[in-house]
Amino acid sequence: MAACAGAALMIAAGCGGGPRQDASEPSGDFKLSVVRTSFPRAQSLAQTSPLRITVRNQGTTTVPNVALTVDGISAQSAPIDNADRERPVWILNEGPTGGITAYVNTWAVGPLKPDEEKTFTWSLTATTAGVHTLRYRAAAGLNGKARAVATNGPLDGSLTVRVTRHPRDRVVDPATGKVVDAPTSG
């Protein structure tokens, strides 16, 4: 009994203590814009494609922790042929380098100096046929004290992609050992 009480006390002591998560995040408005997006609008099942979103600091002060939230990777935006809405549309092979956060579908890559750009890159593999929409939004921090303000471009947007049911024909190039599109006959 004493062991159980001691364990419960240790668990309780580890929860909720310490400084607030947003204690070191600066307060204020930071001028950001999404300046480029890149993702193939037509894809095939099992095709791996890079998703790239570039954010620019349009202001005169350093953005504390530029972040992007991308919705639509892990769940369908609309049911297709009575498919399971929880089935992923894309497999996330790799997210932005150093960008992992505790937030769902949000990546942060650190400070962004004035007039500087950062490109977030994901490697995604299509797993569900249909028309799907990814929605994205840039932020100046993770905790709400550093607020992104749109200037010279949007903070958010969407990308619509059609994934066909038929995977692309791929072969291994014997000269290089790399997987490439199969040659077409004709």
Side-chain angles (χ1 to χ4, degrees):
M1 183 74 168
C4 290
L9 233 132
M10 286 173 44
I11 291 170
C15 297
R20 290 174 43 123
Q21 184 174 351
D22 65 352
S24 63
E25 184 174 278
S27 294
D29 293 339
F30 298 88
K31 298 175 180 178
L32 286 175
S33 63
V34 173
V35 293
R36 275 183 303 286
T37 61
S38 171
F39 196 48
R41 301 301 198 267
Q43 298 178 21
S44 300
L45 284 179
Q47 177 181 342
T48 298
S49 302
L51 165 63
R52 292 185 182 97
I53 301 175
T54 303
V55 179
R56 181 174 181 76
N57 180 347
Q58 303 282 6
T60 57
T61 58
T62 298
V63 173
N65 191 8
V66 66
L68 271 170
T69 298
V70 180
D71 292 317
I73 294 172
S74 60
Q76 294 185 21
S77 54
I80 308 290
D81 297 335
N82 296 322
D84 181 0
R85 285 181 74 77
E86 298 304 313
R87 181 177 174 195
V89 175
W90 287 276
I91 293 171
L92 174 62
N93 302 309
E94 189 175 352
T97 302
I100 295 174
T101 70
Y103 296 96
V104 175
N105 301 331
T106 300
W107 292 264
V109 294
L112 185 62
K113 294 179 182 175
D115 294 321
E116 195 174 69
E117 295 180 355
K118 285 206 179 173
T119 299
F120 292 70
T121 303
W122 295 261
S123 171
L124 303 175
T125 301
T127 62
T128 305
V131 177
H132 308 288
T133 301
L134 293 173
R135 289 179 175 73
Y136 57 87
R137 179 165 185 76
L142 292 173
N143 300 302
K145 290 171 70 177
R147 294 173 302 279
V149 177
T151 62
N152 299 327
L155 286 173
D156 58 1
S158 63
L159 300 164
T160 300
V161 177
R162 174 178 292 281
V163 178
T164 64
R165 292 194 175 282
H166 305 288
R168 295 185 310 170
D169 289 331
R170 308 280 283 175
V171 296
V172 174
D173 180 342
T176 65
K178 293 183 180 183
V179 177
V180 296
D181 289 334
T184 57
S185 58

